Amino acid sequence: MIVRGYYVINLDDKVGAGTHWVAMNMKDVAIVYFDSFGLDCPKEIIMLSYRFNAHYVYNSTINKRK
């Protein structure tokens, strides 16, 4: 089950200063991911979508699960 909500995520490691932040909205059937740099969705978010059998959307690109 997806824990619905809005998240702000620091892509830097835990000892870093937080150089790159992204936003994510987890819904019942989709994960909406936004990166202001326009970078692709990280593999961890894609794997999360597989785990919950959810679609993922990033930077206005829809990726539907089959």
Side-chain angles (χ1 to χ4, degrees), residues 1-2 25-32 45-57 63-66:
M1 181 172 115
I2 290 180
N25 180 6
M26 293 184 67
K27 301 179 178 185
D28 288 333
V29 295
I31 297 171
V32 180
I45 302 301
I46 296 169
M47 295 306 294
L48 189 65
S49 75
Y50 287 134
R51 179 177 172 197
F52 293 113
N53 196 28
H55 303 296
Y56 65 96
V57 179
N63 295 283
K64 293 185 177 179
R65 296 281 320 242
K66 293 183 180 181

Side-chain angles (χ1 to χ4, degrees), residues 13-59:
D13 61 28
K14 66 180 179 181
V15 296
T19 59
H20 190 174
W21 295 82
V22 297
M24 184 171 69
N25 180 6
M26 293 184 67
K27 301 179 178 185
D28 288 333
V29 295
I31 297 171
V32 180
Y33 176 87
F34 177 76
D35 183 327
S36 63
F37 292 170
L39 300 175
D40 288 341
C41 194
K43 67 179 184 239
E44 292 85 358
I45 302 301
I46 296 169
M47 295 306 294
L48 189 65
S49 75
Y50 287 134
R51 179 177 172 197
F52 293 113
N53 196 28
H55 303 296
Y56 65 96
V57 179
Y58 66 96
N59 298 340

